[in-house]
């Protein structure tokens, strides 16, 4: 009888925990974030049910991620993985490690992200954890892109898309398309950089009635960046304004920071540095607050370009040095490459030959490390807007080289298949 009563009380407690979590979710979906957080924190303090604790920690992780409170997100992820270990359930463990990976991705600790993702993929879980593998591959791809390891990033995105298609997961497909847009922005294939976020926007229009508006905002932002690179500045401004509007409505601080950075870059492209500077400054305030060091590095590069436009070369070099220090700390080689290229231009204008030669040498070393050259013609990739094509092995070539020369396999790794993947 005593055992029965104890089990009954435990079941009642679990039901109450579930009800309170659902209550918080309804509040959160109505943008009443503070009340939702209050309810969830109350559940976290009171519940003795490990499953309930794990779920409410998941809610807190998601909320703090969207608010840009990445350090708190990491703390809740650590608490969640400890709960999962107590439960000894492979599904809970996989989800816990995925949240740890995402937390570190947001904080630009990309090596840790890759490590946690690999742990997830090595877990021997059930169908539930297998369904998370697409999200794991997406996070891993974002981390490799953060480290400028382009082939591995593309391999991960290709796997994530395959999981999305196999599971008919349109939300995951939408997120991968946005990441692929960013991937091709980095490599300066602006046609593909626009194609993928446009595909994401189509998915939102076709399937996104019940989705969070963040998916629309995300696709609009990535479209805006691609339009800017294509110098279609009115289109870039329109998409960025749409994205910013949604970000402000939902208190999405990370997206607000990205939109402000993009607004600044649009004004810089218009050579209106007086409008660009305050937007860079506003973006930097948020990027510093949330801990997005890669975003901070991008801002310093943009500010450096503005100073170059104004022929304030010493100020430009100061901004570029700050960008270099941040990029080096997180391991983003592409940002370092951009810095060397811009410093080279500055020293050429200043007619400082010794410093100029030093930057040229460092630039070429970076190109070699990044392997940013076509395996057919030997010319660089990512130096100017060019159409690119990846083979199934995810090695990347100029599209014109593949069309002109043809190949029975990859010239780099001799992979024989010519069947193209999704990306």
């Amino acid at each position: 009888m005593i055992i029965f009563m104890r089990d009954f009380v435990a079941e009642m407690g679990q039901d109450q925990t579930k009800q309170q979590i659902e209550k918080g979710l309804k509040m959160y979906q109505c943008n009443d974030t503070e009340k939702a957080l209050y309810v969830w924190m109350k559940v976290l303090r009171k519940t003795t049910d490990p499953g309930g604790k794990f779920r409410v920690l998941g809610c807190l992780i998601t909320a703090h991620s969207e608010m840009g409170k990445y350090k708190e997100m990491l703390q809740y992820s650590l608490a969640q993985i400890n709960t999962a270990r107590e439960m000894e359930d492979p599904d809970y463990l996989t989800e816990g490690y995925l949240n740890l990976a995402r937390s570190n991705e947001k904080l630009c600790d990309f090596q840790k992200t890759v490590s946690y993702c690999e742990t997830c993929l090595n877990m021997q879980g059930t169908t539930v954890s297998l369904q998370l593998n697409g999200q794991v591959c997406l996070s891993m791809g974002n981390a490799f892109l953060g480290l400028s390891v382009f082939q591995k990033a593309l391999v991960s995105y290709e796997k994530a898309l395959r999981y999305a298609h196999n599971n008919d997961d349109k939300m995951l497909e939408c997120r991968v398309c946005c990441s692929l847009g960013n991937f091709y922005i980095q490599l300066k294939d602006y046609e593909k950089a626009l194609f993928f976020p446009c595909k994401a926007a189509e998915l939102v229009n076709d399937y996104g009635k019940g989705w969070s508006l963040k998916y629309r905002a995300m696709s609009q932002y990535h479209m805006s960046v691609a339009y800017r690179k294509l110098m279609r500045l009115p289109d870039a401004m329109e998409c960025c304004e749409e994205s910013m509007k949604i970000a402000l409505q939902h208190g999405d601080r990370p997206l607000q920071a990205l939109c402000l950075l993009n607004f600044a870059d649009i004004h810089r492209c218009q050579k209106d540095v007086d409008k660009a500077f305050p937007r860079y400054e506003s973006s930097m305030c948020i990027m510093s607050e949330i801990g997005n060091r890669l975003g901070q590095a991008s801002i310093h590069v943009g500010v450096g370009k503005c100073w170059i436009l104004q022929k304030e070369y010493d100020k430009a070099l100061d901004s570029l040095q700050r960008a270099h220090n941040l990029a080096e700390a997180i391991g983003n080689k592409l940002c370092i490459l951009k810095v060397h290229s811009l410093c080279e231009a500055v020293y050429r204008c200043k007619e400082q030959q010794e410093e100029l030669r030093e930057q040229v040498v460092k630039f070429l070393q970076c190109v070699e490390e990044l392997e940013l050259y076509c395996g057919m013609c030997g010319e660089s990739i990512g130096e100017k807007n060019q159409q690119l094509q990846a083979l199934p092995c995810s090695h990347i070539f100029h599209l014109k080289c593949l069309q002109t020369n043809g190949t029975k396999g990859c010239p780099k790794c001799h992979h024989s298949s010519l069947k193209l993947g999704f990306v």
Side-chain angles (χ1 to χ4, degrees), residues 345-356:
V346 170
Y347 287 125
R348 184 170 281 110
C349 292
K350 287 166 69 76
E351 297 183 348
Q352 294 180 224
Q353 297 303 318
E354 187 175 337
E355 289 84 353
L356 172 60

Side-chain angles (χ1 to χ4, degrees), residues 23-25 27-28 32-41:
K23 179 182 175 183
L25 280 170
M27 291 173 175
Y28 189 72
D32 203 343
T33 305
E34 290 302 318
K35 285 185 180 177
L37 291 175
Y38 175 79
V39 169
W40 288 332
M41 289 301 297

Side-chain angles (χ1 to χ4, degrees), residues 181-363:
N182 186 30
F183 177 90
Y184 282 108
I185 283 289
Q186 305 298 319
L187 293 184
K188 297 189 178 179
D189 182 344
Y190 299 143
E191 189 175 303
K192 279 193 173 72
L194 181 59
F195 168 80
F196 281 107
C198 283
K199 174 66 176 173
E202 286 177 16
L203 289 166
V204 172
N205 290 335
D206 292 344
Y207 303 98
K209 283 186 180 178
W211 297 5
S212 165
L213 279 173
K214 71 178 182 179
Y215 288 93
R216 175 170 175 76
M218 186 169 56
S219 63
Q220 292 294 313
Y221 163 74
H222 286 284
M223 285 167 63
S224 176
V225 175
Y227 280 134
R228 174 174 60 80
K229 289 291 189 178
L230 290 164
M231 292 306 289
R232 293 171 57 177
L233 301 183
D235 291 328
M237 188 64 79
E238 184 181 342
C239 288
C240 201
E241 284 171 350
E242 174 68 15
S243 184
M244 186 64 161
K245 180 183 174 183
I246 297 170
L248 287 169
Q249 285 173 349
H250 289 259
D252 189 335
R253 300 280 284 166
L255 186 55
Q256 289 172 35
L258 290 172
C259 287
L260 285 165
L261 170 56
N262 197 38
F263 280 135
D265 285 336
I266 292 168
H267 292 310
R268 175 176 53 76
C269 290
Q270 294 169 329
K271 295 186 167 51
D272 191 346
V273 295
D274 289 336
K275 284 186 178 178
F277 277 132
R279 282 162 180 77
Y280 281 129
E281 188 176 346
S282 298
S283 181
M284 180 61 82
C285 287
I286 302 176
M287 294 286 193
S288 301
E289 173 195 321
I290 66 180
N292 185 341
R293 291 176 290 165
L294 186 54
Q296 292 171 52
S298 298
I299 292 168
H300 285 306
V301 168
V303 170
K305 288 178 177 178
C306 283
W307 288 126
I308 290 171
L309 283 173
Q310 294 193 319
K311 298 185 178 179
E312 294 275 5
Y313 296 128
D314 289 336
K315 290 180 179 179
L317 288 171
D318 180 62
S319 291
L320 293 171
Q321 184 59 53
R322 291 168 187 261
H324 182 279
N325 292 344
L326 282 161
E328 196 168 50
I330 61 179
N332 187 281
K333 294 187 179 74
L334 187 64
C335 186
I336 295 170
L337 182 75
K338 291 177 185 176
V339 168
H340 290 317
S341 177
L342 290 166
C343 286
E344 181 186 329
V346 170
Y347 287 125
R348 184 170 281 110
C349 292
K350 287 166 69 76
E351 297 183 348
Q352 294 180 224
Q353 297 303 318
E354 187 175 337
E355 289 84 353
L356 172 60
R357 282 192 293 272
E358 182 183 351
Q359 293 301 320
V360 170
V361 169
K362 288 180 177 179
F363 176 84

